[in-house]
């Protein structure tokens, strides 16, 4: 299964993002959606899984939980917005990860792209960085990868300059 992964759109979604994900079976948004128009547009084009983030208001919070636990091709996956990273997991998720480690842990929030294996818990951690234009990051990032059995393959990153103009949902 081919997965498109993004976070921290903060109400911004443009055609470059949709183009990068065009061959994906599912798109996962790990919080700070910013506007339901973003998830509406993603859901119109892809099978969508999403969690709410710390900037998301009441309507988004009623539609999307703060944490999702699901199976993807036999891979136990945990997705949340504020999650930290191996060795420095956020207090709100740390106990859950240590008590029942998933195969794949995905979060956003930091606006920093990070792909890291946690040998202590035996899980792959991915933070796709920020796909929107709000925040301190200079480059927007997205991730695409394949889940095949319990293997992760063909991980790709796209970088889009934050200043690159294109129309999007604001």
């Amino acid at each position: 299964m081919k997965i498109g992964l993004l976070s921290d759109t903060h109400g911004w979604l443009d055609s470059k993002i949709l183009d990068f994900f065009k061959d994906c079976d599912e798109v996962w948004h790990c919080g700070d959606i910013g506007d339901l128009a973003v998830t509406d547009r993603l859901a119109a084009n892809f099978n969508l899984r999403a969690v709410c983030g710390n900037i998301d208001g009441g309507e988004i919070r009623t539609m999307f939980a703060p944490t999702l636990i699901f199976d993807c091709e036999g891979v136990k996956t945990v997705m949340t917005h504020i999650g930290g990273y191996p060795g420095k997991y956020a207090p709100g998720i740390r106990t859950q990860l240590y008590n029942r480690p998933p195969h794949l842990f995905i979060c956003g929030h930091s606006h920093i792209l990070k792909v890291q294996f946690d040998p202590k818990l035996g899980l792959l951690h991915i933070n796709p960085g920020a796909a929107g234009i709000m925040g301190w990051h200079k480059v927007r990032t997205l991730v695409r990868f394949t889940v095949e059995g319990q293997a992760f393959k063909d991980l790709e990153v796209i970088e889009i300059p934050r200043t690159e103009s294109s129309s999007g949902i604001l």
Side-chain angles (χ1 to χ4, degrees):
M1 178 173 293
K2 195 165 201 172
I3 307 299
L5 182 62
L6 75 164
S7 185
D8 295 277
T9 50
H10 293 262
W12 179 263
L13 186 72
D14 62 43
S15 60
K16 287 176 179 50
I17 294 170
L18 298 175
D19 289 346
F20 184 64
F21 291 154
K22 72 178 183 260
D23 295 326
C24 292
D25 299 302
E26 292 189 357
V27 170
W28 302 347
H29 192 305
C30 35
D32 278 3
I33 296 162
D35 190 313
L36 283 175
V38 169
T39 50
D40 288 348
R41 191 162 172 202
L42 288 170
N45 291 282
F46 310 100
N47 292 323
L48 175 68
R49 296 180 195 259
V51 295
C52 61
N54 58 296
I55 66 114
D56 293 322
E59 191 174 10
I60 291 172
R61 288 179 182 277
T62 62
M63 301 211 37
F64 302 102
T67 301
L68 278 181
I69 301 170
F70 58 95
D71 182 87
C72 175
E73 300 291 305
V75 172
K76 180 182 175 189
T77 304
V78 173
M79 182 168 63
T80 195
H81 182 61
I82 301 175
Y85 53 90
K88 302 236 185 235
Y89 293 116
I93 197 75
R94 182 184 308 130
T95 302
Q96 182 176 353
L97 294 176
Y98 276 87
N99 287 345
R100 285 179 252 129
H103 300 106
L104 179 61
F105 175 57
I106 296 173
C107 66
H109 184 64
S110 70
H111 292 218
I112 299 170
L113 171 70
K114 189 174 283 202
V115 178
Q116 184 176 359
F117 183 72
D118 181 340
K120 185 173 184 176
L121 297 181
L123 63 81
L124 179 64
H125 166 261
I126 305 175
N127 182 326
I133 58 173
M134 302 295 287
W136 59 271
H137 59 282
K138 294 185 181 355
V139 175
R140 298 185 293 143
T141 54
L142 313 164
V143 172
R144 185 170 58 194
F145 63 99
T146 301
V147 178
E148 190 175 298
Q150 290 196 358
F152 307 105
K153 297 181 174 185
D154 306 320
L155 190 134
E156 302 170 272
V157 172
I158 187 170
E159 294 181 338
I160 305 169
R162 193 175 117 179
T163 56
E164 190 171 304
S165 63
S166 70
S167 60
I169 298 167
L170 275 177

